[in-house]
Amino acid sequence: MELGLALTLCGLGGAFLLTALILGIIAGNRKRKCTESTTAVITRYEKRRSDHTTYYHPVYEYTVDNVKYARVGASMSGHKPQINSMVPIMYNPGRPKQSYIQNYDNKAYKILTIVFVVIGCIPIIICIGIALFV
């Protein structure tokens, strides 16, 4: 196998694996820092289109120490949040503006991390397979 092809395949796989690692670190840090729970209300959603898919980002509001915060949650294609529904969130007690919707934003990060790991492994496996069988 040519060295250039091997480096390209492994570099491409490594880039996706690095992205998966970064996503995992972000999710882990957020989960580690956001230790207090409260309830938020979904006030609206932001609708975004990409190619043929529509993504709905819930906008939720919550109050901590008489201060109201509004945040935009992660999206999941095809899942439209219900306006005025109550959702459990976790927030950072030191910086209450940092928050995420439990079992929703985490799921989006997990799915993205898994997708990037799988995509990252494919070129590396191909590279190894070519090296072993050629």
Side-chain angles (χ1 to χ4, degrees):
M1 173 179 5
E2 290 185 31
L3 179 62
L5 177 62
L7 290 175
T8 301
L9 287 173
C10 289
L12 181 63
F16 278 97
L17 290 175
L18 180 63
T19 303
L21 177 66
I22 291 169
L23 285 171
I25 289 170
I26 289 170
N29 280 340
R30 187 167 64 173
K31 191 172 184 177
R32 185 174 41 83
K33 291 178 181 178
C34 296
T35 57
E36 294 292 324
S37 63
T38 190
T39 304
V41 62
I42 296 179
T43 57
R44 61 186 176 88
Y45 58 87
E46 293 181 1
K47 182 177 167 182
R48 300 178 188 158
R49 285 190 58 77
S50 175
D51 296 326
H52 301 292
T53 306
T54 302
Y55 297 94
Y56 299 96
H57 295 263
V59 178
Y60 59 96
E61 292 182 356
Y62 58 101
T63 303
V64 175
D65 296 329
N66 294 321
V67 178
K68 187 180 269 190
Y69 298 94
R71 303 286 294 156
V72 178
S75 71
M76 298 192 59
S77 63
H79 179 71
K80 188 175 179 180
Q82 295 295 317
I83 305 299
N84 295 321
S85 62
M86 304 297 278
V87 291
I89 65 159
M90 297 297 289
Y91 69 91
N92 181 343
R95 294 183 64 199
K97 187 176 182 178
Q98 292 180 339
S99 66
Y100 66 91
I101 300 173
Q102 282 184 295
N103 303 322
Y104 185 78
D105 288 354
N106 290 358
K107 185 183 264 186
Y109 271 100
K110 284 179 187 177
I111 291 170
L112 281 174
T113 301
I114 291 168
V115 167
F116 276 95
V117 166
V118 170
I119 292 172
C121 287
I122 291 171
I124 293 172
I125 291 170
I126 291 171
C127 182
I128 292 170
I130 291 172
L132 291 175
F133 298 109
V134 173

